[in-house]
Amino acid sequence: MRLGLIVTLSLAGAYCAVAQAKSNVLLTATALTARREVDKVAGAIRRAGYAVETVYDMTDAMLLQRAVDKLTGGRVDKIAVVPLAENSDSDACQQLAYIAGVNKEPSKGYMAVDGDMRRGGQGAAQLKGFLKQSAMQAPDLAFGSMSAPVGGGPGVRQIKSKAALAVISALDESPVVVEVLTERVRKLSKRPADEVVVLIGRAPADEDARQAWSSRAEAVASAVKQKGGFRDVRALGFPIAMRRQDKQTLYGPLREYVAKQRAAGLKVIVQAYAMDMGGFDLLMKEALPGGFYKISKAAILPHPSVERWILERVAEISKQ
């Protein structure tokens, strides 16, 4: 049984639903993730004996199709699609699931952002600024033109493949994401019992999808609280592209929570709930001006435990 791998990236971070099948592999992540981090993961999988194709935007159907075509040569009957993503309910992960034929409909949030980019709306300006700052912080990010729409646009097609496509889940509530996030926060922690942690991520643009995303993120936050012994841990997410009039409403709960904890004499630590740090500084300056908190400079990647987790998922797919 042969297993090949495609590595892809998405512009929202972090995709994805489960499909069952037989043998080759595709790995996915976000287009805000530095290529070097994706390549490290791809290298680990390649060293384990799998064929690897890398696509740096998991929402780009054309690039994904090309990678699938390369992987379907020879004696291959399955391609395992492995997302480098933290939450299966993100816009990009749901869009990938649609492109791979797992979901029947495209991601509403993803298509809304894509449409806003094409129209040049307020969300487009926010996204372009987000991307520009990210590019300055990490020049090897996977996305290309800053002015281009974020993906395939209306009528985006689904992949056609002779081999079955098996799209595994993102990290979701797995022990590995709890392990990594707790480890990151502990590096800034002195007295966990007197500290609160805020996990900040990139939530879907669609409100219904955002609720599902938040449910997973809060489960992770609860596990980090228990593992790290912190006073409290909250998870909050914000869409990459937001209209100006929406920012105050979306940022309000975060600002109120942090202000309340500081008034109670507790220390606040902010940690990126994301595979990468792309644009994170810009987000924090907008969401929490003033800087009366500690902020971690490390996201989920790179981490050897993530590589091991992915290899375990790939091995499971190859045995089916």
Side-chain angles (χ1 to χ4, degrees):
M1 184 177 292
R2 293 287 302 281
L3 187 62
L5 174 68
I6 302 173
V7 183
T8 82
L9 283 161
S10 97
L11 201 50
Y15 322 3
C16 305
V18 178
Q20 303 295 330
K22 281 185 176 180
S23 256
N24 242 9
V25 187
L26 180 160
L27 174 67
T28 75
T30 84
L32 289 170
T33 304
R35 291 190 181 207
R36 64 180 179 275
E37 303 300 348
V38 181
D39 292 343
K40 286 178 184 177
V41 177
I45 298 170
R46 190 175 290 113
R47 288 191 296 274
Y50 298 103
V52 180
E53 279 295 321
T54 304
V55 176
Y56 295 105
D57 184 352
M58 70 170 67
T59 65
D60 192 314
M62 182 175 65
L63 294 180
L64 292 171
Q65 182 67 67
R66 289 176 182 173
V68 166
D69 291 344
K70 290 181 181 179
L71 287 174
T72 52
R75 299 175 57 190
V76 172
D77 56 5
K78 177 186 292 186
I79 295 173
V81 184
V82 184
L84 274 180
E86 67 280 356
N87 193 311
S88 291
D89 289 301
S90 62
D91 286 334
C93 205
Q94 289 297 306
Q95 185 68 4
L96 172 64
Y98 168 72
I99 294 171
V102 177
N103 289 355
K104 294 182 178 180
E105 300 292 335
S107 161
K108 291 181 181 179
Y110 167 81
M111 297 305 291
V113 172
D114 182 78
D116 194 62
M117 286 290 286
R118 293 175 186 277
R119 293 188 301 271
Q122 289 185 21
Q126 168 78 7
L127 182 55
K128 289 176 184 177
F130 191 85
L131 296 178
K132 286 179 180 178
Q133 173 156 332
S134 300
M136 288 188 289
Q137 294 173 346
D140 68 337
L141 292 181
F143 53 80
S145 171
M146 299 294 182
S147 60
V150 297
V156 61
R157 66 180 184 273
Q158 293 179 305
I159 293 173
K160 295 180 179 179
S161 175
K162 295 180 181 178
L165 301 179
V167 188
I168 74 167
S169 68
L171 292 176
D172 292 338
E173 301 96 330
S174 65
V176 67
V177 73
V178 176
E179 171 196 341
V180 175
L181 292 173
T182 304
E183 179 181 309
R184 302 301 194 213
V185 175
R186 277 176 172 166
K187 291 182 178 179
L188 298 178
S189 174
K190 293 183 178 180
R191 299 179 61 184
D194 297 325
E195 297 164 341
V196 297
V197 178
V198 183
L199 305 179
I200 302 294
R202 303 185 192 105
D206 179 69
E207 186 173 351
D208 290 340
R210 197 181 310 146
Q211 291 179 357
W213 182 96
S214 296
S215 179
R216 290 187 188 276
E218 284 296 340
V220 171
S222 178
V224 170
K225 176 183 176 181
Q226 182 175 4
K227 187 176 182 67
F230 303 107
R231 174 69 67 90
D232 192 27
V233 180
R234 295 287 179 90
L236 296 168
F238 308 100
I240 292 178
M242 290 184 285
R243 296 176 301 175
R244 283 189 294 272
Q245 60 265 38
D246 293 336
K247 289 184 178 181
Q248 295 304 315
T249 300
L250 292 172
Y251 290 153
L254 170 63
R255 292 171 178 171
E256 291 174 7
Y257 177 75
V258 170
K260 181 178 180 179
Q261 304 311 311
R262 293 191 67 250
L266 301 175
K267 303 297 182 182
V268 178
I269 300 174
V270 177
Q271 168 64 47
Y273 171 56
M275 303 301 289
D276 54 83
M277 291 295 290
F280 194 70
D281 287 345
L282 175 62
L283 174 61
M284 293 313 304
K285 287 178 181 178
E286 282 195 345
L288 281 178
F292 299 107
Y293 50 85
K294 294 180 180 179
I295 181 168
S296 171
K297 296 298 183 182
I300 295 171
L301 288 177
H303 200 283
S305 292
V306 175
E307 295 179 4
R308 288 194 295 270
W309 185 87
I310 290 172
L311 286 172
E312 290 172 0
R313 303 290 80 73
V314 171
E316 290 174 359
I317 291 291
S318 67
K319 293 176 182 177
Q320 294 174 0

